[in-house]
mmCIF file of all heavy atoms in Angstrom:
data_model
loop_
_atom_site.group_PDB
_atom_site.id
_atom_site.type_symbol
_atom_site.label_atom_id
_atom_site.label_comp_id
_atom_site.label_asym_id
_atom_site.label_seq_id
_atom_site.Cartn_x
_atom_site.Cartn_y
_atom_site.Cartn_z
ATOM 1 N N TRP A 27 -98.534 29.859 -127.145
ATOM 2 C CA TRP A 27 -98.963 29.119 -125.923
ATOM 3 C C TRP A 27 -98.574 27.653 -126.004
ATOM 4 O O TRP A 27 -98.576 26.964 -124.984
ATOM 5 C CB TRP A 27 -100.433 29.267 -125.720
ATOM 6 C CG TRP A 27 -100.851 30.630 -125.256
ATOM 7 C CD1 TRP A 27 -101.449 31.615 -125.979
ATOM 8 C CD2 TRP A 27 -100.670 31.158 -123.923
ATOM 9 N NE1 TRP A 27 -101.648 32.745 -125.206
ATOM 10 C CE2 TRP A 27 -101.193 32.484 -123.943
ATOM 11 C CE3 TRP A 27 -100.152 30.686 -122.745
ATOM 12 C CZ2 TRP A 27 -101.177 33.308 -122.817
ATOM 13 C CZ3 TRP A 27 -100.144 31.485 -121.617
ATOM 14 C CH2 TRP A 27 -100.632 32.780 -121.654
ATOM 15 N N ILE A 28 -98.207 27.141 -127.186
ATOM 16 C CA ILE A 28 -97.835 25.746 -127.326
ATOM 17 C C ILE A 28 -96.592 25.404 -126.491
ATOM 18 O O ILE A 28 -96.395 24.230 -126.116
ATOM 19 C CB ILE A 28 -97.566 25.396 -128.842
ATOM 20 C CG1 ILE A 28 -97.431 23.882 -129.052
ATOM 21 C CG2 ILE A 28 -96.343 26.152 -129.342
ATOM 22 C CD1 ILE A 28 -98.701 23.130 -128.795
ATOM 23 N N ILE A 29 -95.825 26.456 -126.137
ATOM 24 C CA ILE A 29 -94.593 26.206 -125.335
ATOM 25 C C ILE A 29 -94.954 25.696 -123.934
ATOM 26 O O ILE A 29 -94.083 25.157 -123.240
ATOM 27 C CB ILE A 29 -93.784 27.546 -125.278
ATOM 28 C CG1 ILE A 29 -92.347 27.219 -124.844
ATOM 29 C CG2 ILE A 29 -94.395 28.505 -124.310
ATOM 30 C CD1 ILE A 29 -91.420 28.404 -124.916
ATOM 31 N N LEU A 30 -96.178 25.875 -123.527
ATOM 32 C CA LEU A 30 -96.604 25.416 -122.198
ATOM 33 C C LEU A 30 -96.881 23.907 -122.169
ATOM 34 O O LEU A 30 -96.998 23.341 -121.073
ATOM 35 C CB LEU A 30 -97.877 26.172 -121.742
ATOM 36 C CG LEU A 30 -97.737 27.663 -121.519
ATOM 37 C CD1 LEU A 30 -99.074 28.253 -121.096
ATOM 38 C CD2 LEU A 30 -96.698 27.947 -120.447
ATOM 39 N N LEU A 31 -96.933 23.268 -123.298
ATOM 40 C CA LEU A 31 -97.256 21.838 -123.354
ATOM 41 C C LEU A 31 -96.251 20.991 -122.561
ATOM 42 O O LEU A 31 -96.633 20.136 -121.784
ATOM 43 C CB LEU A 31 -97.329 21.379 -124.832
ATOM 44 C CG LEU A 31 -97.805 19.932 -125.032
ATOM 45 C CD1 LEU A 31 -99.184 19.737 -124.437
ATOM 46 C CD2 LEU A 31 -97.803 19.596 -126.505
ATOM 47 N N PRO A 32 -94.894 21.206 -122.741
ATOM 48 C CA PRO A 32 -93.943 20.449 -121.931
ATOM 49 C C PRO A 32 -94.116 20.685 -120.426
ATOM 50 O O PRO A 32 -93.915 19.751 -119.621
ATOM 51 C CB PRO A 32 -92.573 20.959 -122.408
ATOM 52 C CG PRO A 32 -92.815 21.478 -123.770
ATOM 53 C CD PRO A 32 -94.203 22.049 -123.731
ATOM 54 N N LEU A 33 -94.505 21.882 -120.035
ATOM 55 C CA LEU A 33 -94.735 22.170 -118.618
ATOM 56 C C LEU A 33 -95.924 21.368 -118.077
ATOM 57 O O LEU A 33 -95.896 20.855 -116.960
ATOM 58 C CB LEU A 33 -94.960 23.676 -118.402
ATOM 59 C CG LEU A 33 -93.789 24.611 -118.728
ATOM 60 C CD1 LEU A 33 -94.186 26.054 -118.514
ATOM 61 C CD2 LEU A 33 -92.574 24.227 -117.881
ATOM 62 N N VAL A 34 -96.936 21.259 -118.918
ATOM 63 C CA VAL A 34 -98.116 20.471 -118.541
ATOM 64 C C VAL A 34 -97.712 18.984 -118.366
ATOM 65 O O VAL A 34 -98.085 18.320 -117.397
ATOM 66 C CB VAL A 34 -99.239 20.603 -119.594
ATOM 67 C CG1 VAL A 34 -100.383 19.647 -119.295
ATOM 68 C CG2 VAL A 34 -99.739 22.039 -119.643
ATOM 69 N N ASN A 35 -96.915 18.480 -119.301
ATOM 70 C CA ASN A 35 -96.445 17.089 -119.241
ATOM 71 C C ASN A 35 -95.593 16.876 -117.987
ATOM 72 O O ASN A 35 -95.702 15.832 -117.334
ATOM 73 C CB ASN A 35 -95.624 16.740 -120.482
ATOM 74 C CG ASN A 35 -96.450 16.670 -121.719
ATOM 75 O OD1 ASN A 35 -97.717 16.426 -121.664
ATOM 76 N ND2 ASN A 35 -95.865 16.906 -122.887
ATOM 77 N N PHE A 36 -94.742 17.859 -117.673
ATOM 78 C CA PHE A 36 -93.886 17.758 -116.481
ATOM 79 C C PHE A 36 -94.744 17.687 -115.240
ATOM 80 O O PHE A 36 -94.506 16.854 -114.339
ATOM 81 C CB PHE A 36 -92.929 18.940 -116.410
ATOM 82 C CG PHE A 36 -91.985 18.918 -115.258
ATOM 83 C CD1 PHE A 36 -90.752 18.327 -115.376
ATOM 84 C CD2 PHE A 36 -92.348 19.487 -114.033
ATOM 85 C CE1 PHE A 36 -89.859 18.277 -114.273
ATOM 86 C CE2 PHE A 36 -91.501 19.466 -112.946
ATOM 87 C CZ PHE A 36 -90.226 18.831 -113.085
ATOM 88 N N PHE A 37 -95.732 18.538 -115.149
ATOM 89 C CA PHE A 37 -96.618 18.589 -113.970
ATOM 90 C C PHE A 37 -97.374 17.265 -113.817
ATOM 91 O O PHE A 37 -97.478 16.748 -112.714
ATOM 92 C CB PHE A 37 -97.594 19.747 -114.102
ATOM 93 C CG PHE A 37 -98.646 19.818 -113.042
ATOM 94 C CD1 PHE A 37 -98.325 20.302 -111.784
ATOM 95 C CD2 PHE A 37 -99.926 19.354 -113.264
ATOM 96 C CE1 PHE A 37 -99.280 20.343 -110.778
ATOM 97 C CE2 PHE A 37 -100.885 19.361 -112.247
ATOM 98 C CZ PHE A 37 -100.560 19.878 -110.992
ATOM 99 N N ILE A 38 -97.867 16.708 -114.951
ATOM 100 C CA ILE A 38 -98.610 15.450 -114.873
ATOM 101 C C ILE A 38 -97.696 14.336 -114.386
ATOM 102 O O ILE A 38 -98.066 13.523 -113.525
ATOM 103 C CB ILE A 38 -99.221 15.100 -116.258
ATOM 104 C CG1 ILE A 38 -100.313 16.095 -116.602
ATOM 105 C CG2 ILE A 38 -99.770 13.693 -116.266
ATOM 106 C CD1 ILE A 38 -100.847 15.967 -118.038
ATOM 107 N N THR A 39 -96.515 14.240 -114.930
ATOM 108 C CA THR A 39 -95.559 13.168 -114.574
ATOM 109 C C THR A 39 -95.171 13.284 -113.103
ATOM 110 O O THR A 39 -95.108 12.280 -112.396
ATOM 111 C CB THR A 39 -94.302 13.249 -115.457
ATOM 112 O OG1 THR A 39 -94.685 13.317 -116.841
ATOM 113 C CG2 THR A 39 -93.456 11.996 -115.286
ATOM 114 N N GLN A 40 -94.838 14.503 -112.668
ATOM 115 C CA GLN A 40 -94.432 14.693 -111.278
ATOM 116 C C GLN A 40 -95.574 14.356 -110.302
ATOM 117 O O GLN A 40 -95.358 13.727 -109.260
ATOM 118 C CB GLN A 40 -93.999 16.159 -111.071
ATOM 119 C CG GLN A 40 -93.333 16.457 -109.769
ATOM 120 C CD GLN A 40 -91.949 15.804 -109.602
ATOM 121 O OE1 GLN A 40 -91.313 15.476 -110.620
ATOM 122 N NE2 GLN A 40 -91.535 15.556 -108.374
ATOM 123 N N THR A 41 -96.779 14.785 -110.644
ATOM 124 C CA THR A 41 -97.943 14.520 -109.824
ATOM 125 C C THR A 41 -98.209 13.017 -109.680
ATOM 126 O O THR A 41 -98.508 12.504 -108.602
ATOM 127 C CB THR A 41 -99.196 15.233 -110.376
ATOM 128 O OG1 THR A 41 -98.935 16.632 -110.444
ATOM 129 C CG2 THR A 41 -100.400 15.005 -109.487
ATOM 130 N N LEU A 42 -98.115 12.294 -110.797
ATOM 131 C CA LEU A 42 -98.335 10.849 -110.774
ATOM 132 C C LEU A 42 -97.295 10.141 -109.908
ATOM 133 O O LEU A 42 -97.597 9.199 -109.163
ATOM 134 C CB LEU A 42 -98.299 10.280 -112.209
ATOM 135 C CG LEU A 42 -99.527 10.585 -113.077
ATOM 136 C CD1 LEU A 42 -99.239 10.127 -114.510
ATOM 137 C CD2 LEU A 42 -100.761 9.863 -112.524
ATOM 138 N N GLN A 43 -96.072 10.639 -109.950
ATOM 139 C CA GLN A 43 -94.990 10.037 -109.125
ATOM 140 C C GLN A 43 -95.274 10.228 -107.628
ATOM 141 O O GLN A 43 -95.079 9.333 -106.844
ATOM 142 C CB GLN A 43 -93.623 10.625 -109.494
ATOM 143 C CG GLN A 43 -93.140 10.137 -110.842
ATOM 144 C CD GLN A 43 -91.717 10.634 -111.102
ATOM 145 O OE1 GLN A 43 -90.731 10.002 -110.742
ATOM 146 N NE2 GLN A 43 -91.616 11.808 -111.744
ATOM 147 N N VAL A 44 -95.711 11.435 -107.298
ATOM 148 C CA VAL A 44 -96.040 11.706 -105.919
ATOM 149 C C VAL A 44 -97.205 10.839 -105.433
ATOM 150 O O VAL A 44 -97.173 10.254 -104.338
ATOM 151 C CB VAL A 44 -96.374 13.206 -105.722
ATOM 152 C CG1 VAL A 44 -96.917 13.476 -104.317
ATOM 153 C CG2 VAL A 44 -95.152 14.063 -105.982
ATOM 154 N N TYR A 45 -98.176 10.691 -106.268
ATOM 155 C CA TYR A 45 -99.389 9.946 -105.910
ATOM 156 C C TYR A 45 -99.103 8.453 -105.848
ATOM 157 O O TYR A 45 -99.651 7.750 -104.988
ATOM 158 C CB TYR A 45 -100.469 10.230 -106.949
ATOM 159 C CG TYR A 45 -101.794 9.506 -106.677
ATOM 160 C CD1 TYR A 45 -102.592 9.885 -105.616
ATOM 161 C CD2 TYR A 45 -102.174 8.413 -107.466
ATOM 162 C CE1 TYR A 45 -103.804 9.240 -105.362
ATOM 163 C CE2 TYR A 45 -103.362 7.756 -107.192
ATOM 164 C CZ TYR A 45 -104.170 8.155 -106.163
ATOM 165 O OH TYR A 45 -105.345 7.477 -105.900
ATOM 166 N N LEU A 46 -98.234 7.935 -106.743
ATOM 167 C CA LEU A 46 -97.937 6.496 -106.814
ATOM 168 C C LEU A 46 -96.603 6.119 -106.171
ATOM 169 O O LEU A 46 -96.045 5.040 -106.462
ATOM 170 C CB LEU A 46 -97.950 6.049 -108.309
ATOM 171 C CG LEU A 46 -99.249 6.259 -109.048
ATOM 172 C CD1 LEU A 46 -99.047 5.962 -110.525
ATOM 173 C CD2 LEU A 46 -100.351 5.329 -108.508
ATOM 174 N N LYS A 47 -96.062 6.988 -105.346
ATOM 175 C CA LYS A 47 -94.700 6.850 -104.828
ATOM 176 C C LYS A 47 -94.425 5.462 -104.271
ATOM 177 O O LYS A 47 -93.359 4.856 -104.514
ATOM 178 C CB LYS A 47 -94.455 7.915 -103.764
ATOM 179 C CG LYS A 47 -93.039 7.949 -103.261
ATOM 180 C CD LYS A 47 -92.819 9.094 -102.296
ATOM 181 C CE LYS A 47 -91.394 9.189 -101.824
ATOM 182 N NZ LYS A 47 -91.168 10.308 -100.877
ATOM 183 N N THR A 48 -95.324 4.931 -103.472
ATOM 184 C CA THR A 48 -95.079 3.634 -102.832
ATOM 185 C C THR A 48 -95.223 2.441 -103.789
ATOM 186 O O THR A 48 -94.876 1.325 -103.434
ATOM 187 C CB THR A 48 -96.094 3.437 -101.667
ATOM 188 O OG1 THR A 48 -97.423 3.527 -102.162
ATOM 189 C CG2 THR A 48 -95.867 4.511 -100.606
ATOM 190 N N HIS A 49 -95.729 2.704 -105.000
ATOM 191 C CA HIS A 49 -95.933 1.630 -105.978
ATOM 192 C C HIS A 49 -94.889 1.612 -107.088
ATOM 193 O O HIS A 49 -94.991 0.831 -108.042
ATOM 194 C CB HIS A 49 -97.305 1.745 -106.611
ATOM 195 C CG HIS A 49 -98.452 1.692 -105.616
ATOM 196 N ND1 HIS A 49 -98.898 0.555 -105.056
ATOM 197 C CD2 HIS A 49 -99.189 2.710 -105.070
ATOM 198 C CE1 HIS A 49 -99.886 0.809 -104.206
ATOM 199 N NE2 HIS A 49 -100.073 2.132 -104.219
ATOM 200 N N LEU A 50 -93.884 2.516 -106.984
ATOM 201 C CA LEU A 50 -92.891 2.670 -108.056
ATOM 202 C C LEU A 50 -91.539 2.121 -107.626
ATOM 203 O O LEU A 50 -91.167 2.199 -106.441
ATOM 204 C CB LEU A 50 -92.751 4.131 -108.433
ATOM 205 C CG LEU A 50 -94.013 4.846 -108.926
ATOM 206 C CD1 LEU A 50 -93.680 6.301 -109.224
ATOM 207 C CD2 LEU A 50 -94.615 4.159 -110.152
ATOM 208 N N THR A 51 -90.798 1.575 -108.558
ATOM 209 C CA THR A 51 -89.409 1.199 -108.317
ATOM 210 C C THR A 51 -88.577 1.684 -109.508
ATOM 211 O O THR A 51 -88.748 1.220 -110.627
ATOM 212 C CB THR A 51 -89.249 -0.352 -108.123
ATOM 213 O OG1 THR A 51 -87.888 -0.658 -108.082
ATOM 214 C CG2 THR A 51 -89.927 -1.104 -109.250
ATOM 215 N N TYR A 52 -87.663 2.599 -109.259
ATOM 216 C CA TYR A 52 -86.899 3.248 -110.277
ATOM 217 C C TYR A 52 -85.802 2.332 -110.852
ATOM 218 O O TYR A 52 -85.288 2.562 -111.942
ATOM 219 C CB TYR A 52 -86.293 4.540 -109.781
ATOM 220 C CG TYR A 52 -87.339 5.613 -109.514
ATOM 221 C CD1 TYR A 52 -87.811 5.805 -108.204
ATOM 222 C CD2 TYR A 52 -87.858 6.365 -110.519
ATOM 223 C CE1 TYR A 52 -88.797 6.749 -107.946
ATOM 224 C CE2 TYR A 52 -88.817 7.329 -110.276
ATOM 225 C CZ TYR A 52 -89.302 7.522 -108.979
ATOM 226 O OH TYR A 52 -90.283 8.447 -108.742
ATOM 227 N N SER A 53 -85.472 1.273 -110.109
ATOM 228 C CA SER A 53 -84.438 0.357 -110.603
ATOM 229 C C SER A 53 -84.897 -0.428 -111.806
ATOM 230 O O SER A 53 -84.077 -1.002 -112.552
ATOM 231 C CB SER A 53 -84.034 -0.601 -109.480
ATOM 232 O OG SER A 53 -85.176 -1.351 -109.077
ATOM 233 N N ASN A 54 -86.220 -0.483 -112.014
ATOM 234 C CA ASN A 54 -86.747 -1.213 -113.201
ATOM 235 C C ASN A 54 -86.473 -0.498 -114.507
ATOM 236 O O ASN A 54 -86.515 -1.112 -115.574
ATOM 237 C CB ASN A 54 -88.264 -1.391 -113.073
ATOM 238 C CG ASN A 54 -88.616 -2.361 -111.955
ATOM 239 O OD1 ASN A 54 -87.768 -3.116 -111.499
ATOM 240 N ND2 ASN A 54 -89.886 -2.337 -111.525
ATOM 241 N N LEU A 55 -86.221 0.815 -114.444
ATOM 242 C CA LEU A 55 -86.047 1.604 -115.661
ATOM 243 C C LEU A 55 -84.559 1.657 -116.068
ATOM 244 O O LEU A 55 -83.795 2.448 -115.546
ATOM 245 C CB LEU A 55 -86.592 3.005 -115.471
ATOM 246 C CG LEU A 55 -86.664 3.872 -116.757
ATOM 247 C CD1 LEU A 55 -87.655 3.265 -117.733
ATOM 248 C CD2 LEU A 55 -87.076 5.285 -116.403
ATOM 249 N N THR A 56 -84.186 0.797 -116.973
ATOM 250 C CA THR A 56 -82.797 0.760 -117.453
ATOM 251 C C THR A 56 -82.658 1.370 -118.836
ATOM 252 O O THR A 56 -81.546 1.568 -119.319
ATOM 253 C CB THR A 56 -82.288 -0.687 -117.485
ATOM 254 O OG1 THR A 56 -83.175 -1.459 -118.362
ATOM 255 C CG2 THR A 56 -82.317 -1.318 -116.120
ATOM 256 N N GLN A 57 -83.805 1.651 -119.517
ATOM 257 C CA GLN A 57 -83.754 2.202 -120.875
ATOM 258 C C GLN A 57 -83.193 3.645 -120.838
ATOM 259 O O GLN A 57 -83.309 4.345 -119.826
ATOM 260 C CB GLN A 57 -85.141 2.209 -121.522
ATOM 261 C CG GLN A 57 -85.619 0.876 -121.949
ATOM 262 C CD GLN A 57 -86.251 0.093 -120.808
ATOM 263 O OE1 GLN A 57 -86.284 0.601 -119.671
ATOM 264 N NE2 GLN A 57 -86.717 -1.121 -121.076
ATOM 265 N N SER A 58 -82.592 4.036 -121.958
ATOM 266 C CA SER A 58 -82.045 5.381 -122.086
ATOM 267 C C SER A 58 -83.137 6.424 -122.067
ATOM 268 O O SER A 58 -84.054 6.369 -122.878
ATOM 269 C CB SER A 58 -81.217 5.489 -123.378
ATOM 270 O OG SER A 58 -80.905 6.839 -123.624
ATOM 271 N N LYS A 59 -83.032 7.369 -121.160
ATOM 272 C CA LYS A 59 -84.042 8.440 -121.068
ATOM 273 C C LYS A 59 -83.919 9.362 -122.254
ATOM 274 O O LYS A 59 -84.916 9.942 -122.712
ATOM 275 C CB LYS A 59 -83.892 9.191 -119.749
ATOM 276 C CG LYS A 59 -84.077 8.313 -118.536
ATOM 277 C CD LYS A 59 -83.895 9.090 -117.250
ATOM 278 C CE LYS A 59 -83.978 8.182 -116.033
ATOM 279 N NZ LYS A 59 -82.895 7.175 -116.006
ATOM 280 N N LEU A 60 -82.720 9.562 -122.781
ATOM 281 C CA LEU A 60 -82.526 10.391 -123.966
ATOM 282 C C LEU A 60 -83.218 9.799 -125.170
ATOM 283 O O LEU A 60 -83.898 10.506 -125.922
ATOM 284 C CB LEU A 60 -81.017 10.526 -124.251
ATOM 285 C CG LEU A 60 -80.649 11.277 -125.545
ATOM 286 C CD1 LEU A 60 -81.188 12.707 -125.510
ATOM 287 C CD2 LEU A 60 -79.134 11.294 -125.727
ATOM 288 N N PHE A 61 -83.108 8.473 -125.311
ATOM 289 C CA PHE A 61 -83.771 7.817 -126.456
ATOM 290 C C PHE A 61 -85.286 7.950 -126.358
ATOM 291 O O PHE A 61 -85.972 8.259 -127.337
ATOM 292 C CB PHE A 61 -83.349 6.314 -126.476
ATOM 293 C CG PHE A 61 -84.014 5.526 -127.568
ATOM 294 C CD1 PHE A 61 -83.611 5.666 -128.894
ATOM 295 C CD2 PHE A 61 -85.031 4.667 -127.267
ATOM 296 C CE1 PHE A 61 -84.223 4.941 -129.896
ATOM 297 C CE2 PHE A 61 -85.679 3.930 -128.256
ATOM 298 C CZ PHE A 61 -85.275 4.068 -129.578
ATOM 299 N N LEU A 62 -85.812 7.706 -125.147
ATOM 300 C CA LEU A 62 -87.256 7.816 -124.933
ATOM 301 C C LEU A 62 -87.746 9.252 -125.222
ATOM 302 O O LEU A 62 -88.778 9.451 -125.882
ATOM 303 C CB LEU A 62 -87.598 7.426 -123.497
ATOM 304 C CG LEU A 62 -87.552 5.944 -123.136
ATOM 305 C CD1 LEU A 62 -87.781 5.749 -121.671
ATOM 306 C CD2 LEU A 62 -88.567 5.153 -123.925
ATOM 307 N N SER A 63 -87.041 10.213 -124.707
ATOM 308 C CA SER A 63 -87.414 11.604 -124.923
ATOM 309 C C SER A 63 -87.430 11.977 -126.390
ATOM 310 O O SER A 63 -88.321 12.659 -126.872
ATOM 311 C CB SER A 63 -86.477 12.563 -124.143
ATOM 312 O OG SER A 63 -86.518 12.288 -122.777
ATOM 313 N N THR A 64 -86.395 11.520 -127.094
ATOM 314 C CA THR A 64 -86.269 11.845 -128.529
ATOM 315 C C THR A 64 -87.433 11.248 -129.339
ATOM 316 O O THR A 64 -88.048 11.919 -130.153
ATOM 317 C CB THR A 64 -84.921 11.348 -129.083
ATOM 318 O OG1 THR A 64 -83.867 11.931 -128.343
ATOM 319 C CG2 THR A 64 -84.792 11.733 -130.541
#
């Protein structure tokens, strides 16, 4: 069941983006997403 952990993280991140949509600016994120994920 541990394999469901990334799905939970995905759901939380997506939900937060929907809820905070008007308060976010994606141009601020210049860091490598691969590096952060690793």
